[in-house]
């Protein structure tokens, strides 16, 4: 309606309702509800005055003047009309972070601040507003460190990174409404602390590895994966021949070789996995490393004089976006980087928007670590009580503490992005470590349990979508319990040689380290994606001998990963606990709570590359448009007809949705699958095998850009099928934004279906389906 009234809508944000406030949290001014929708527009001053006059007339219940009826339709939806002001540009979260960075800093020192300009498509407006910011910064003895102006179809970003005297920033915070102040500039959308991407070493002291490594890398293999991180030690014997470093931003000389921990570990895990549990090199790909961070003793960080969003965008442009791309064959980007203090609070970050745009436009699959969060405070207890508690009691206390501090443990940007694969970490090693534990150090889980690391950031994502998408082993996390006033603080043991994933390490060619956290978990998922892509086109694969496009590789492997994720028993136990805690008729919220920690589940790597025992996995590709539908026909194994067998089925769709930040419904395209044949048929929901939903509800799986439904029946007889029968799986596409999706947009997608008999049988379902498909193709 706002557009029909002639406004250029820059952003429309739908704020999520709070169903349960954590301990100690109350809405502002005692309100019981929070505003749901904010329309942000910037008309001219004259047009705003006219609009304000109309608004006042509407508030007096006057009839709309001639030609103003569209305005009355807009006003009927509004609670308040006011210009975008300092309190909007300088939000409470940003203010708090800036104040923390200012603490104990002299007035004459400098601090870096980012100014994001309204993302209008008008280059002239953006230039005018940028120049006004530059003038006011100069008047306060500030310096422009970096500028970014990105104007692509579907993504606009205009920003300045400035260095200001601390006194000037303190004045802005103290009096944001000053008409001549920085926060009152019309063209500013947000004033933010500098976006600092960081990757912590989180490893043990290095040691020498005398074990022989399996195989070598093919130096002529295509480059299919990009690592955006610090600088790896490419000459390490675990990486030699598999890594190409492209120093697009002149950062390599700034990273001492002895400090190149993080990128070296990530490259090692991608190319060889855990060096003790696996160690086999990828045979069909090499890795290109583009340093976007500077390695130092405390970890890797972004350059202090650059806008991180601009660094990432220019990196991707040079890799695949020019007429002479540096790495045209890449389809997956490993991004084990989190933004410091960048906790997701409902508003998607510019970096996440950038990744969503690249995914939808170019078919890049970003694998992003969910982020690592800090220590956890357990209230009203003692270190002795915590150390001596049994695992069940300790876990109940930890879950309560995490619920009460949920706003400080949310996803770190850019892992909230809709089109990326967000990875959380299980407290799990891939090799057995038998060294004795030191006094005061303990694990939070029993051996064999699949529990998220207590430091792994939790979801949900944008519009309560499932985030993280899945979990992977992130190394066994040990903790110490330390007194904290009348409470206890659980602190992770970051440097330990007892636990963790075994990776390459600087500085020498044989050094190894132990790595823990969401970063190594994401790297292992990237490795699984690359191996799955190889199996798709390799001998015996469904696309044997074919060269898949970037979009096809990205979507197929993304769908396979989610389809291969399983809730472990610990997730099911958590669901039952949440149902008991929340009370009757709260099963949906209970499942959402499980998704915060487990997403779709723990990744079963074998199921990405082969069918399960007693089952078959089918994959497919397609393109679809708004309100369109396509039908895939899954052959029915003849031996199943009329048999009383426990069976399960999983159907997963993955697509890269176009996005529009000017709409509250940021995601434009929503896909789903149904068991119907013709448009007038009804979906009975049992998928032809008399099965019902087992796992996540439709209301949860429909929110993101992956749709994955699981069904099961353990006791009833399978219906009888005629020879040559098949199950129609109808893929449908709708506009999820209320008008933003063009009917001319092709939405590429992948579908993965797994049918499994969960008992030993004398026949081979995989072979029967394969034979039926051969008959169809002949």
């Amino acid at each position: 309606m706002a557009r029909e009234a002639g406004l250029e809508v820059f952003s429309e944000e739908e704020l999520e309702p709070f169903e349960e406030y954590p301990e100690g949290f109350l809405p502002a001014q005692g309100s019981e509800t929070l505003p749901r929708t904010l329309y942000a527009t910037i008309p001219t001053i004259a047009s705003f005055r006219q609009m304000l006059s109309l608004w006042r007339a509407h508030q007096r219940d006057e009839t709309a003047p001639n030609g103003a009826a569209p305005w009355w339709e807009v006003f009927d939806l509004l609670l308040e009309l006011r210009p975008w002001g300092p309190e909007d540009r300088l939000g409470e979260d940003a203010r708090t972070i800036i104040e923390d960075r200012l603490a104990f800093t002299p007035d004459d020192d400098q601090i870096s601040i980012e100014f994001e300009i309204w993302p209008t498509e008008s280059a002239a407006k953006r230039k005018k507003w940028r120049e006004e910011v530059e003038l006011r910064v100069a008047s306060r003895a500030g310096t422009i460190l970096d500028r970014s102006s990105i104007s692509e179809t579907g993504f606009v970003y205009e920003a300045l990174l400035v260095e200001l005297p601390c006194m000037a920033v303190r004045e802005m915070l103290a009096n944001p409404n000053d008409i001549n102040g920085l926060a009152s500039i019309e063209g500013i959308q947000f004033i933010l602390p500098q976006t600092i991407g960081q990757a912590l070493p989180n490893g043990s002291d290095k040691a020498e590895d005398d074990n022989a490594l399996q195989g070598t890398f093919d130096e002529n293999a295509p480059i299919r994966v990009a690592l955006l991180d610090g600088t790896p030690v490419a000459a390490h014997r675990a990486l030699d021949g598999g890594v190409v470093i492209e120093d697009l931003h002149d950062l390599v000389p700034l990273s001492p070789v002895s400090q190149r921990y993080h990128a070296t570990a990530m490259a090692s895990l991608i190319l060889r996995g855990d060096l003790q549990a696996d160690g086999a090199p990828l045979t069909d790909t090499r890795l290109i490393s583009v340093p976007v961070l500077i390695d130092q003793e405390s970890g890797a960080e972004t350059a202090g004089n650059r806008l991180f969003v601009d660094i990432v965008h220019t990196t991707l442009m040079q890799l695949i976006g020019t007429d002479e791309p540096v790495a045209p064959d890449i389809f997956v980007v490993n991004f084990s980087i989190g933004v410091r203090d960048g906790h997701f609070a409902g508003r998607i970050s510019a970096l996440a928007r950038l990744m969503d745009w690249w995914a939808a436009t170019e078919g890049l699959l970003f694998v992003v670590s969910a982020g690592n969060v800090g220590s956890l405070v357990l209230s009203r207890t003692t270190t002795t009580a915590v150390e001596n508690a049994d695992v069940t009691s300790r876990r109940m206390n930890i879950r309560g503490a995490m619920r009460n501090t949920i706003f400080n443990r949310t996803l770190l940007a850019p892992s909230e992005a809709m089109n990326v694969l967000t990875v959380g970490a299980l407290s799990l090693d891939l090799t057995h470590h038998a060294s004795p534990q030191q006094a005061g150090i303990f694990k939070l889980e029993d051996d064999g349990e699949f529990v998220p690391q207590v430091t792994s950031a939790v979801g949900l994502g944008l519009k309560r979508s499932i985030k993280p998408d899945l979990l992977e082993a992130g190394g066994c996390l040990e903790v110490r319990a330390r007194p904290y006033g009348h409470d206890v603080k659980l602190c992770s043991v970051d440097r330990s040689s007892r636990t963790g994933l075994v990776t390459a390490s600087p500085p020498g060619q044989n050094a190894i380290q132990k790595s823990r956290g969401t970063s190594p978990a994401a790297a292992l998922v990237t490795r699984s994606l690359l191996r799955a892509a190889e199996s798709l086109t390799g001998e015996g694969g469904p696309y044997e001998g074919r060269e898949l496009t970037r979009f096809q590789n990205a979507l197929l492997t993304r769908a396979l990963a989610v389809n291969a994720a399983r809730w472990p028993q610990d997730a099911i136990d958590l669901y039952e606990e949440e149902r008991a805690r929340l009370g009757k008729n709260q099963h949906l919220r209970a499942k959402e709570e499980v998704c915060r920690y487990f997403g779709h589940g723990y990744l079963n790597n074998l199921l990405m590359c082969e069918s399960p025992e007693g089952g078959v996995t089918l994959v497919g590709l397609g393109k679809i448009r708004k309100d369109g539908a396509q039908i895939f026909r899954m052959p029915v194994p003849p031996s199943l007809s009329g048999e009383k067998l426990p069976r399960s089925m999983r159907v997963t769709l993955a697509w890269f949705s176009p996005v529009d930040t000017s709409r509250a419904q940021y995601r434009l395209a929503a896909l789903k699958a149904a068991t119907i044949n013709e448009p007038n048929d009804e979906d009975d929901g049992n998928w032809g095998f008399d099965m019902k939903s087992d796992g996540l509800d439709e209301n949860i799986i429909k929110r993101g850009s992956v749709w994955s439904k699981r069904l099961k029946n353990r006791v009833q007889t399978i219906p009888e099928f005629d020879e040559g029968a098949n199950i129609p799986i109808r893929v449908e596409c709708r506009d999820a934004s209320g008008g933003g999706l063009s009917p001319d947009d092709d939405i590429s997608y992948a579908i993965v279906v797994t049918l499994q008999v969960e008992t030993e049988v004398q026949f081979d379902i995989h072979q029967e389906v394969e034979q039926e498909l051969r008959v169809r193709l002949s």
Side-chain angles (χ1 to χ4, degrees):
M1 292 183 181
R3 289 182 175 86
E4 293 174 3
L7 294 176
E8 180 185 4
V9 179
F10 291 144
S11 74
E12 176 188 9
E13 298 175 18
E14 184 173 343
L15 305 180
E16 294 293 344
F18 291 112
E19 296 171 329
E20 179 183 18
Y21 296 124
E23 184 178 306
F25 176 86
L26 289 175
Q29 301 175 345
S31 173
E32 295 182 358
T33 60
L34 295 175
R36 283 299 303 253
T37 304
L38 169 69
Y39 294 87
T41 68
I42 299 284
T44 64
I45 292 177
S47 63
F48 176 73
R49 288 173 178 165
Q50 181 185 11
M51 181 168 59
L52 192 60
S53 174
L54 292 172
W55 166 254
R56 290 168 178 162
H58 174 271
Q59 294 298 94
R60 295 192 296 266
D61 291 328
E62 296 179 8
T63 302
N66 186 36
W71 284 110
W72 257 238
E73 294 181 13
V74 173
F75 294 159
D76 285 341
L77 303 175
L78 299 183
L79 297 175
E80 180 185 8
L81 177 66
R82 60 176 173 81
W84 186 268
E87 65 268 38
D88 305 301
R89 299 184 182 104
L90 187 58
E92 193 61 37
D93 289 342
R95 170 187 283 271
T96 300
I97 296 169
I98 293 171
E99 287 174 344
D100 287 344
R101 295 184 185 179
L102 279 170
F104 312 112
T105 307
D107 285 343
D108 57 353
D109 273 9
Q110 305 285 310
I111 184 173
S112 295
I113 301 290
E114 289 183 13
F115 292 87
E116 286 191 12
I117 308 299
W118 280 103
T120 174
E121 294 181 359
S122 170
K125 282 184 180 179
R126 298 199 312 272
K127 180 175 182 290
K128 171 181 173 293
W129 292 331
R130 184 182 69 246
E131 289 174 347
E132 187 174 356
V133 175
E134 291 173 345
L135 284 173
R136 292 204 191 180
V137 167
S139 71
R140 288 159 175 79
T143 304
I144 307 298
L145 297 178
D146 197 16
R147 300 174 177 84
S148 178
S149 184
I150 304 170
S151 182
E152 305 283 356
T153 302
F155 182 80
V156 176
Y157 175 76
E158 191 83 32
L160 292 166
L161 175 63
V162 309
E163 193 173 61
L164 285 162
C166 291
M167 172 60 80
V169 177
R170 289 191 171 101
E171 289 175 353
M172 177 184 70
L173 296 176
N175 189 17
N177 292 299
D178 178 4
I179 193 170
N180 295 312
L182 291 168
S184 63
I185 301 174
E186 179 187 86
I188 295 175
Q189 184 181 21
F190 297 121
I191 301 173
L192 303 166
Q194 183 184 7
T195 300
I196 301 174
Q198 63 180 13
L200 303 179
N202 203 20
S204 64
D205 293 332
K206 54 186 177 293
E208 292 297 313
D209 182 17
D210 296 326
N211 295 327
L213 287 173
Q214 305 176 39
T216 59
F217 297 101
D218 180 359
E219 296 189 3
N220 295 315
I223 294 174
R224 300 185 185 276
V225 56
L227 173 65
L228 272 56
D229 209 287
T231 304
V233 180
H236 193 287
R237 68 191 187 101
L239 306 180
D240 192 24
V243 174
V244 175
I245 297 178
E246 194 71 33
D247 190 14
L248 300 179
H249 306 290
D250 300 321
L251 298 181
V252 170
L254 304 179
S255 296
V257 174
S258 61
Q259 305 300 335
R260 297 177 183 180
Y261 286 101
H262 195 269
T264 301
M266 297 307 103
S268 174
L269 288 166
I270 292 169
L271 292 174
R272 289 191 180 267
D274 185 296
L275 292 180
Q276 290 183 5
D278 187 350
L282 292 175
T283 58
D284 189 43
T285 185
R286 290 179 296 150
L287 176 150
I288 187 167
S289 168
V290 181
V292 295
L293 306 178
I294 300 171
D295 297 286
Q296 47 197 338
E297 186 174 0
S298 60
E301 282 191 2
T302 47
N305 61 347
R306 291 293 307 276
L307 285 161
F308 194 41
V309 172
D310 192 78
I311 284 180
V312 174
H313 181 68
T314 54
T315 297
L316 298 172
M317 284 296 295
Q318 292 184 68
L319 287 177
I320 66 168
T322 66
D323 292 337
E324 296 182 357
V326 173
D329 295 324
I330 65 168
F331 74 90
V332 59
V333 177
N334 190 94
F335 198 88
S336 293
I337 300 172
V339 172
R340 182 189 296 173
D341 303 318
H343 288 283
F344 177 61
R347 177 180 291 132
I348 193 165
S349 64
L351 190 55
R353 290 193 291 110
L354 177 71
M355 289 184 175
D356 280 337
W357 179 82
W358 271 99
T361 305
E362 296 294 337
L364 276 178
L365 176 55
F366 293 90
V367 181
V368 183
S369 55
N372 303 311
V373 293
S375 55
L376 181 68
V377 175
L378 304 182
S379 301
R380 297 179 292 278
T381 189
T382 65
T383 57
T384 302
V386 173
E387 291 174 2
N388 294 336
D390 60 81
V391 170
T392 302
S393 300
R394 188 190 294 152
R395 187 172 298 156
M396 294 295 289
N397 289 336
I398 288 172
R399 285 175 178 164
M402 292 182 74
R403 280 196 300 271
N404 288 329
T405 57
I406 194 70
F407 295 119
N408 298 320
R409 311 189 73 81
T410 58
L411 302 167
L412 286 181
S415 62
E416 78 274 19
M418 182 77 67
N419 288 331
V420 309
L421 198 59
T422 302
V423 181
L426 287 176
S427 182
L428 181 68
D429 285 341
L430 298 180
T431 55
H432 178 66
H433 300 279
S435 300
Q437 293 181 341
Q438 296 178 5
I441 296 178
F442 55 93
K443 299 191 303 180
L444 299 176
E445 67 282 336
D446 285 330
D447 290 343
E449 290 188 312
F450 286 63
V451 178
Q453 291 179 353
V454 71
T455 54
S456 183
V458 298
L460 300 166
L462 190 68
K463 310 302 178 190
R464 303 180 75 80
S465 58
I466 297 174
K467 290 286 176 179
D469 291 276
L470 48 82
L471 302 182
E472 179 56 284
C476 178
L477 186 74
E478 295 178 319
V479 299
R480 291 182 186 271
R482 300 185 184 278
Y484 190 68
H486 297 292
D487 306 322
V488 170
K489 180 183 288 188
L490 289 183
C491 303
S492 61
V493 179
D494 293 330
R495 301 187 72 84
S496 170
S497 59
R498 290 186 307 279
T499 66
L501 305 175
V502 183
T503 75
S505 173
Q509 293 184 329
N510 298 319
I512 61 171
Q513 62 175 317
K514 302 289 182 62
S515 183
R516 286 167 296 278
T518 59
S519 289
L524 286 179
V525 170
T526 297
R527 176 175 175 81
S528 296
L529 296 169
L530 293 163
R531 296 182 72 175
E534 183 178 352
S535 69
L536 286 169
T537 57
E539 184 177 355
Y543 300 97
E544 181 177 354
R546 287 178 54 182
E547 187 69 32
L548 296 178
T549 67
R550 179 184 299 119
F551 260 103
Q552 292 170 336
N553 265 321
L555 290 172
L556 279 168
T557 55
R558 186 183 186 211
L560 282 167
V562 173
N563 196 70
R566 302 288 188 271
W567 271 11
Q569 185 60 46
D570 300 284
I572 297 170
D573 292 344
L574 176 58
Y575 170 62
E576 296 300 335
E577 291 171 13
E578 287 298 306
R579 285 187 65 188
R581 183 181 71 85
L582 294 169
K584 292 183 178 180
N585 304 318
Q586 295 295 323
H587 71 280
L588 181 65
R589 283 185 59 198
K591 288 182 178 179
E592 284 185 336
E593 285 302 305
V594 180
C595 288
R596 287 187 192 277
Y597 298 92
F598 287 90
H600 289 279
Y602 169 50
L603 179 61
N604 185 325
N605 294 280
L606 289 177
L607 295 181
M608 289 187 67
C609 299
E610 58 187 50
S611 295
E613 184 177 357
V616 60
T617 295
L618 299 95
V619 300
L621 292 161
K623 290 185 178 181
I624 197 168
R625 291 187 176 184
K626 174 181 175 180
D627 299 326
Q630 290 182 341
I631 295 179
F632 289 80
R633 300 191 180 277
M634 184 184 72
V636 177
S639 298
L640 296 183
S641 179
E643 295 290 332
K644 188 175 182 179
L645 296 168
R647 63 274 188 189
S648 65
M649 186 172 173
R650 295 168 186 258
V651 181
T652 301
L653 298 171
W655 67 101
F656 292 137
S657 174
V659 296
D660 185 348
T661 55
S662 70
R663 293 180 175 271
Q665 298 302 324
Y666 171 75
R667 175 190 63 157
L668 301 186
L671 274 63
K672 64 171 289 186
T675 53
I676 54 180
N677 196 8
E678 300 296 337
N680 295 328
D681 291 346
E682 291 187 5
D683 180 10
D684 62 8
N686 64 30
W687 296 82
F689 292 94
D690 198 11
M691 293 186 288
K692 295 184 178 179
S693 178
D694 176 70
L696 298 177
D697 292 53
E698 186 82 20
N699 286 331
I700 299 177
I701 64 175
K702 71 179 183 180
R703 298 171 183 168
S705 59
V706 173
W707 184 97
S708 187
K709 191 167 188 177
R710 289 93 194 278
L711 304 104
K712 184 175 289 188
N713 191 323
R714 291 188 176 277
V715 296
Q716 295 177 330
T717 301
I718 298 173
E720 293 187 358
F721 295 99
D722 296 331
E723 186 175 349
N726 59 71
I727 300 297
I729 300 176
R730 180 183 171 96
V731 179
E732 303 172 349
C733 176
R734 66 177 177 86
D735 185 341
S737 64
L741 182 63
S742 168
D744 298 325
D745 285 349
D746 283 322
I747 308 299
S748 297
Y749 68 92
I751 180 171
V752 178
V753 180
T754 296
L755 176 65
Q756 184 176 9
V757 175
E758 299 182 350
T759 188
E760 188 174 339
V761 292
Q762 298 299 316
F763 45 85
D764 188 337
I765 292 177
H766 186 282
Q767 188 177 45
E768 290 185 5
V769 171
E770 187 176 41
Q771 179 60 34
E772 177 61 29
L773 289 174
R774 283 200 190 100
V775 171
R776 289 186 189 178
L777 295 173
S778 60

